[in-house]
Amino acid sequence: MAARVVVEGEMADRLAELGLSVEIVERAVRRADAEASMCTPLDPPIMEGLTRWGRTNRFLREELIPAGWRCDNPSNLPRTIHPSGGFAIVATTGDELTGLADLLPATKYPKGYATVQAVEINEQLALDFGDFDLGPAGGPAGGPAADAGDLLTWLLLFHVDEVGFRAELSLPDRIADGRITSWAERIILPFFPRDDDRLADLITPDRGDRDEGVVVEVNRRPA
Amino acid sequence: MLTPSRLVIARKRRGLTLTRLADLTGLSTRSISLYENGHQTPSEETLRQLADVLDVSAAFLGAPDIDEIPQDAVSFRALSKMTARQRDRALSAGRIALLINDWIEARFHLPARDIPSLTGHDPEAAAEVVRARWGLGERPVGNVLHLLESRGVRIYSLTAENSELDAFSLYWNGQPFIFLSTSKSGERGRFDAAHELGHLVLHGEHLVPSRPAAEVEANRFAAAFLMPRAGVLAQGLRDATPEAVLAAKRTWKVAAMALTHRLHELDLLTEWGYRTACVQLSRLGYRRTERDGIPRESSQLLAKVFRSVRDHGETPAAIAMAVGITADELRSHVFGLTLTAITGDPAAAPAPARGALHLVRPAD
């Protein structure tokens, strides 16, 4: 099944249906990046990625728990569960195609048993309910369902490089050898440039001075 | 109608004593003193004469009252070597830059202040806090001036006559300002800016206990801010040779001597190793200049402002006129910080001829 790809126009609305926003994700990703950047070559090599992954999940949870979300970690899969109990999100590192609407991304590393099981449940729920046409949350409505058996698992894929951050909230429905091969839906978040976190709508990118990412916001006041 | 405070500032800006101004204008010292105290008002003609000699417009001298920058609001590194006249000249030049800044603030939304106040903290720890708060981690700072501007610091150039100073900084109505000499090396400019950030962070709230101690603290802050402990420790620079220092200084965009000092501070160089490295670097010519150094950083804020001014069909000379100063005076406050040439003539702003680019086909 071809993924339903949600971009710009509908993206914010779709996130809102799921109880999320671009800002929540951006804050979590940027804060995690700040923590990961504390790593130096004296840290064991996996530490930076591990820190980024761990803190992205934690900061996401810190934002969502006050809004009634819950969390659990079945088989070490850090799930943050929507108040409806219908679905969970898990932040995980995506490959370099993450956030590019026309391409097919995967997670950066092959996933283990817990993810495989979660994706198989996504697939099973699709069969049970048909094409995920399940109302706003995209999952079975109704009572709390903490069992791994009856909730959808969305992945928040993030990819980071020197220029900035790309992310998407996507619902995997096929996995083979730990690698996701098909997505039912992908919600593509906007690109977050590095280092200008406080700068919302900036004026035209400058022509003259090449700098290294810091943008000094200068806007004319209304006359 | 003369505003006394403006006459004082315009005179001090030129580094003139009352007597010298009297000589230049042919007025008596007593008259000028009476004008400055507001006890007497000069005629229109005398006002113009004063304005002429002081290189400002008569309108400048008649505009609303302005406060001088109090000298204890500022930490001058070279204070002990400065005369009162030099100090007054630097502060009055700064005051005029504040007027230019007022003009800009009235027309542009600029980044708001985001400078933590960490009075009384250890400089090393304070630098770590600022880095963490700004999300810099252990990475090198790409461009110090842009970073500071994005956090609400306004940066102006020290005017040429004040070249005995490296920099000074102050809070003016809560707004942080740095005045920077633009005649030093790129590495030195970064360090000076970080040093002033140290004053703003560590000494912004109260008067500094003692100036020499405050200068040492600001230097330690600058070193820790530009060369964070954990980042430097990770570079494998124990007992570094001068070659290794010269390679590593590129990462942090600091002077070779500054990095050497930092390595010593972090116990990566022994006392003996530190001295040897200093001697060797001196021999290589690194004490006085920074060989194959980085280009000076410029102001992104001022560049954008001047570009926008131009795009709106105004000229920098028109800004100068609005503030009541000459285009030369305006230029001296942004000199070395903008790539934008500020022409003296408000009418003539010829676009520089651009070389036409065309595609060259590779020969098959």
Side-chain angles (χ1 to χ4, degrees):
Chain A
M1 187 176 64
R4 172 190 176 202
V5 179
V6 182
V7 292
E8 288 163 66
E10 329 161 64
M11 176 267 302
D13 290 343
R14 183 63 179 133
L15 284 178
E17 283 175 1
L18 300 176
L20 293 164
S21 70
V22 174
E23 292 71 31
I24 288 173
V25 174
E26 177 172 7
R27 272 196 298 272
V29 169
R30 284 192 188 278
R31 286 178 65 198
D33 181 64
E35 302 244 340
S37 71
M38 303 297 284
C39 292
T40 76
L42 297 189
D43 282 296
I46 63 162
M47 197 61 189
E48 185 174 340
L50 202 59
T51 305
R52 187 185 303 283
W53 166 77
R55 290 291 148 85
T56 306
N57 278 292
R58 170 175 142 190
F59 294 144
L60 210 53
R61 288 169 163 188
E62 288 180 355
E63 297 245 6
L64 294 176
I65 281 171
W69 295 58
R70 291 171 294 120
C71 59
D72 66 5
N73 303 287
S75 310
N76 273 329
L77 186 68
R79 302 193 307 179
T80 308
I81 303 166
H82 188 262
S84 72
F87 68 98
I89 58 178
V90 173
T92 189
T93 314
D95 65 13
E96 64 279 9
L97 303 183
T98 299
L100 303 175
D102 302 330
L103 299 169
L104 185 70
T107 59
K108 185 173 179 190
Y109 305 104
K111 306 310 283 186
Y113 172 73
T115 306
V116 171
Q117 202 186 29
V119 176
E120 282 169 355
I121 289 165
N122 285 352
E123 189 179 359
Q124 189 58 45
L125 286 171
L127 293 177
D128 291 352
F129 293 92
D131 279 5
F132 292 106
D133 194 11
L134 307 168
D147 288 353
D150 52 3
L151 52 74
L152 291 169
T153 304
W154 291 74
L155 297 184
L156 176 67
L157 291 182
F158 54 86
H159 180 79
V160 177
D161 60 24
E162 318 78 60
V163 202
F165 312 86
R166 280 179 277 123
E168 59 178 89
L169 184 67
S170 297
L171 186 60
D173 64 355
R174 290 287 153 71
I175 189 162
D177 296 331
R179 194 185 152 81
I180 288 155
T181 55
S182 162
W183 303 90
E185 178 171 347
R186 295 174 59 209
I187 307 171
I188 311 292
L189 277 76
F191 175 72
F192 308 132
R194 211 173 248 293
D195 279 338
D196 65 343
D197 43 343
R198 300 150 1 97
L199 314 168
D201 26 0
L202 21 133
I203 58 169
T204 49
D206 39 321
R207 307 186 290 254
D209 20 80
R210 264 277 297 128
D211 57 84
E212 301 182 20
V214 177
V215 177
V216 180
E217 194 182 18
V218 175
N219 290 308
R220 276 228 173 226
R221 293 181 190 276
Chain B
M1 186 66 180
L2 173 78
T3 309
S5 60
R6 286 185 169 251
L7 176 58
V8 175
I9 282 166
R11 172 175 64 78
K12 290 180 174 174
R13 162 74 187 91
R14 299 288 154 224
L16 300 176
T17 58
L18 285 172
T19 322
R20 185 80 188 111
L21 180 58
D23 287 350
L24 290 170
T25 52
L27 300 165
S28 70
T29 309
R30 184 178 144 72
S31 297
I32 294 175
S33 172
L34 288 171
Y35 301 152
E36 288 196 354
N37 294 324
H39 295 315
Q40 202 174 313
T41 309
S43 68
E44 283 303 310
E45 200 196 322
T46 308
L47 185 65
R48 267 197 304 277
Q49 196 184 354
L50 285 165
D52 255 16
V53 168
L54 296 171
D55 210 16
V56 293
S57 67
F60 177 93
L61 293 179
D65 200 28
I66 50 177
D67 301 330
E68 284 190 75
I69 298 173
Q71 54 164 297
D72 56 11
V74 172
S75 188
F76 285 119
R77 212 175 314 177
L79 186 71
S80 53
K81 286 181 266 169
M82 289 173 80
T83 64
R85 199 159 55 86
Q86 286 173 324
R87 188 195 60 217
D88 288 349
R89 188 173 59 193
L91 291 177
S92 304
R95 188 62 187 86
I96 289 174
L98 296 179
L99 291 174
I100 298 170
N101 190 71
D102 287 344
W103 188 93
I104 295 173
E105 303 266 359
R107 284 156 189 82
F108 293 88
H109 288 288
L110 304 178
R113 168 188 168 182
D114 179 23
I115 308 288
S117 280
L118 299 168
T119 310
H121 283 61
D122 171 64
E124 181 90 32
E128 278 178 23
V129 169
V130 176
R131 278 190 152 265
R133 167 134 167 204
W134 290 353
L136 299 175
E138 297 290 331
R139 297 193 203 103
V141 179
N143 187 312
V144 177
L145 294 196
H146 294 180
L147 176 65
L148 295 183
E149 288 185 323
S150 76
R151 299 291 164 170
V153 181
R154 308 287 184 257
I155 297 169
Y156 289 90
S157 181
L158 272 180
T159 52
E161 332 67 67
N162 294 309
S163 58
E164 68 278 2
L165 295 174
D166 298 312
F168 68 89
S169 57
L170 66 122
Y171 282 103
W172 188 256
N173 297 328
Q175 180 72 51
F177 284 84
I178 291 179
F179 300 91
L180 202 57
S181 165
T182 50
S183 58
K184 309 276 164 46
S185 69
E187 288 85 354
R188 180 65 181 274
R190 285 166 58 88
F191 198 91
D192 286 344
H195 173 104
E196 296 307 322
L197 174 63
H199 282 310
L200 292 171
V201 168
L202 296 168
H203 312 131
E205 289 187 324
H206 309 289
L207 276 188
V208 184
S210 90
R211 299 222 183 251
E215 293 310 309
V216 170
E217 285 186 2
N219 275 336
R220 287 188 52 216
F221 178 94
F225 185 74
L226 294 176
M227 298 167 274
R229 170 186 286 274
V232 173
L233 282 176
Q235 275 195 309
L237 288 170
R238 173 164 291 290
D239 299 324
T241 60
E243 291 72 33
V245 168
L246 292 177
K249 74 160 189 158
R250 298 179 165 278
T251 304
W252 304 103
K253 299 187 188 176
V254 294
M257 284 295 184
L259 179 55
T260 306
H261 188 265
R262 181 69 173 148
L263 294 177
H264 181 43
E265 193 171 52
L266 295 176
D267 289 328
L268 293 173
L269 279 180
T270 60
E271 190 68 40
W272 178 84
Y274 173 61
R275 260 179 311 172
T276 314
C278 285
V279 169
Q280 283 174 312
L281 287 170
S282 294
R283 264 193 218 135
L284 292 168
Y286 281 93
R287 187 171 284 285
R288 261 174 295 155
T289 57
E290 203 57 36
R291 298 171 55 207
D292 65 301
I294 57 169
R296 278 201 65 87
E297 294 177 353
S298 57
S299 159
Q300 190 179 137
L301 189 154
L302 292 171
K304 284 182 172 172
V305 165
F306 284 117
R307 191 178 305 139
S308 171
V309 162
R310 195 151 289 187
D311 290 348
H312 277 67
E314 301 165 286
T315 63
I319 305 177
M321 204 179 293
V323 180
I325 56 177
T326 62
D328 275 342
E329 175 73 13
L330 173 62
R331 186 182 307 123
S332 71
H333 292 284
V334 300
F335 181 78
L337 290 176
T338 60
L339 304 170
T340 315
I342 295 176
T343 53
D345 179 357
R354 292 252 169 109
L357 295 179
H358 53 93
L359 194 65
V360 178
R361 287 185 191 286
D364 288 319

